Amino acid sequence: MARDNKRGRLLDGKLVAKALKESIKKEVAEMVDRGEEGPHLAAVIVGNDPASETYVASKEKAARGVGMVSSVYRYPEDTTEKELMDVIDFLNRDPEVTGFIVQLPLPKHINEDKIIERIKPSKDVDGFNPVNVGKMAIGQPGFVSATPAGIMEILRYYKIDTEGKNCVVLGRSNIVGSPMSILMSKKSNPGNATVTLCHSKTENLDEITRQADILITAIGSPQFVKADMVKEGAVVIDVGIHRIEDKSSKKGYKLVGDVDFDAVKEKASYITPVPGGVGPMTIASLLNNTLKAYKSEYYG
Ligand code: NAP
C-alpha cells in the first residue's frame, strides 16, 4: 500500500526554535542600537550536578546567541537555604538583571518550593512562581513555564487544529504535565481542547490514550508509548528525554523520548522527534520570557 505522505510529519522543534530565536535576536539588536542595555538573563546553580551544568551552559550560550547579557551564579553543594534566599533577594533587587532562573533540582536540604516562591514574579522567567502559575491557570498574562510555552508555540507554528479535540496529557508535574493540561483547556488557540490528564494511578491508560487526537507525553519513561496506544492520525508531542544504551553509536548511547518513535510515527499525523522536538523550544521560550520581562509585558 502506498504510504500516506502526510503520515508522521515531523514537528521540527529546532526549526521553530530557530525562527523564534531569530525574531528575539532582531528585537534585542534594535534595543542595543537604541543605546539600551537589552535583556539580562541570570542563572543560579547550586552544587555540581553534571546535567544541571549542561542545561545552564546551553541556556547561557543561547542567551548570548541572541545578544542578551548572560550571567551564572555558582554556589557549592553545602550552601544553606538562607544563603540562597539572600542570593534571590539580591537578584530580585538588582536593576541590571531582567530575569533569572534557579536551576533545579536543588540539594535535598534546600526547600525548592520556598526558593521558587521567593523569586519576584516579574523576574520569574521560568514561570514556576505560584503567582505566575495562578495567572496562567485563570488565563491572565504572565510567565508560562518554558516547556509548555514551547509546545504551544510548536502547535501554533504548524497550525495544528486543537479546538474541540481530545487532548490527553501523560504526566502531572508542576513544570510540564499540569500546566500543559491547563493551557490546552483554555479558551484560546491553540487550546479549546477537551483535556484528560493521566498519571501513574490512571487506570486503563491505553484506552484513554487511544482516544487522543493530541497526545502529549511527559512521564519520564523511555519509549513507554507504543503504537497500539495511539489513535491513527493523532498528533504526538513527546517531552521525555532519556539516554539509552546504543552500541552502534560512537558515544555508546542515544537519546529517546517517552514514545516509541519509529513505530508511533507510522500512525501519527504529526510527531515531535527526540532530540530536536520539544527540547530546543524550551530554551527558546525561556529567552522569549526574558524578552517579555525586559519589555515589562506582564508586570508594570
Ligand atoms: P516528573 O516530575 O518525573 O513527573 C512524571 C509524571 O509522569 C508524574 O506525574 C507521574 O505520575 C507520571 N507517570 C510516571 N509513570 C507513569 C506511567 N507509567 N503512566 C502514567 N503516568 C506516569 O516529570 P517531568 O519533570 O514532567 O518530566 C517528564 C519527562 O520530560 C522527563 O523525561 C524529563 O527529562 C523530560 N523533560 C524534558 C524537557 C524538555 O525540554 N524536553 C523539559 C522538562 C522535562 P505521578 O504524579 O502519579 O507520580
Side-chain angles (χ1 to χ4, degrees):
M1 204 169 78
R3 194 168 175 272
D4 175 356
N5 283 339
K6 279 188 138 180
R7 187 140 302 177
R9 211 182 131 187
L10 283 191
L11 296 170
D12 185 346
K14 255 195 197 164
L15 178 86
V16 187
K18 189 164 176 266
L20 181 57
K21 284 195 280 188
E22 272 167 12
S23 106
I24 296 170
K25 188 174 179 176
K26 187 165 168 280
E27 230 179 297
V28 173
E30 284 164 7
M31 289 163 174
V32 173
D33 283 350
R34 288 197 299 267
E36 297 176 27
E37 287 291 325
H40 176 167
L41 173 65
V44 179
I45 180 164
V46 184
N48 308 306
D49 176 41
S52 295
E53 284 286 352
T54 309
Y55 289 136
V56 167
S58 25
K59 287 168 189 174
E60 197 182 9
K61 189 171 164 219
R64 296 214 168 122
V66 297
M68 291 183 184
V69 180
S70 166
S71 54
V72 180
Y73 291 75
R74 286 194 168 74
Y75 297 93
E77 183 82 19
D78 60 357
T79 303
T80 65
E81 191 173 282
K82 166 80 177 69
E83 283 165 339
L84 187 56
M85 289 285 196
D86 290 343
V87 175
I88 308 285
D89 290 344
F90 167 77
L91 292 170
N92 280 342
R93 280 193 308 266
D94 186 346
E96 287 185 7
V97 170
T98 311
F100 64 98
I101 61 153
V102 177
Q103 185 63 43
L104 303 178
L106 290 169
K108 297 248 170 324
H109 63 276
I110 299 178
N111 182 324
E112 284 184 359
D113 289 344
K114 274 198 197 167
I115 296 298
I116 289 167
E117 274 183 45
R118 191 82 163 210
I119 301 172
K120 199 164 141 185
S122 60
K123 291 195 177 193
D124 169 40
V125 286
D126 251 344
F128 293 167
N129 182 286
V131 171
N132 281 315
V133 178
K135 279 172 170 270
M136 187 254 321
I138 58 171
Q140 283 187 8
F143 296 115
V144 173
S145 167
T147 302
I151 293 171
M152 296 302 269
E153 194 57 39
I154 291 178
L155 295 172
R156 205 174 288 122
Y157 186 93
Y158 283 95
K159 299 189 172 53
I160 303 290
D161 183 16
T162 61
E163 186 165 310
K165 306 288 185 220
N166 275 339
C167 173
V168 173
V169 180
L170 299 191
R172 57 178 164 188
S173 72
N174 286 344
I175 60 166
V176 188
S178 291
M180 205 57 239
S181 69
I182 295 169
L183 290 169
M184 290 300 283
S185 70
K186 285 280 144 204
K187 220 179 220 181
S188 61
N189 180 24
N192 268 334
T194 306
V195 181
T196 308
L197 179 59
C198 302
H199 44 76
S200 68
K201 306 284 181 260
T202 299
E203 291 182 359
N204 305 321
L205 189 72
D206 302 24
E207 276 170 36
I208 299 170
T209 57
R210 275 196 290 271
Q211 304 294 317
D213 301 306
I214 299 155
L215 179 62
I216 303 174
T217 65
I219 55 173
S221 187
Q223 299 173 316
F224 176 88
V225 175
K226 306 293 182 201
D228 64 359
M229 296 170 71
V230 178
K231 180 177 172 176
E232 193 73 41
V235 174
V236 178
I237 308 274
D238 188 354
V239 183
I241 182 150
H242 318 276
R243 273 184 187 190
I244 61 164
E245 193 184 287
D246 178 12
K247 288 193 176 121
S248 68
S249 127
K250 266 191 196 158
K251 295 178 196 157
Y253 71 86
K254 65 174 180 177
L255 293 177
V256 298
D258 289 342
V259 173
D260 182 1
F261 180 83
D262 289 337
V264 171
K265 80 171 190 310
E266 298 301 322
K267 264 185 130 175
S269 57
Y270 288 89
I271 185 165
T272 55
V274 177
V278 174
M281 284 310 295
T282 299
I283 292 189
S285 302
L286 175 69
L287 301 178
N288 200 28
N289 278 349
T290 308
L291 182 68
K292 288 178 174 177
Y294 185 79
K295 295 195 286 184
S296 306
E297 275 194 16
Y298 304 136
Y299 297 88

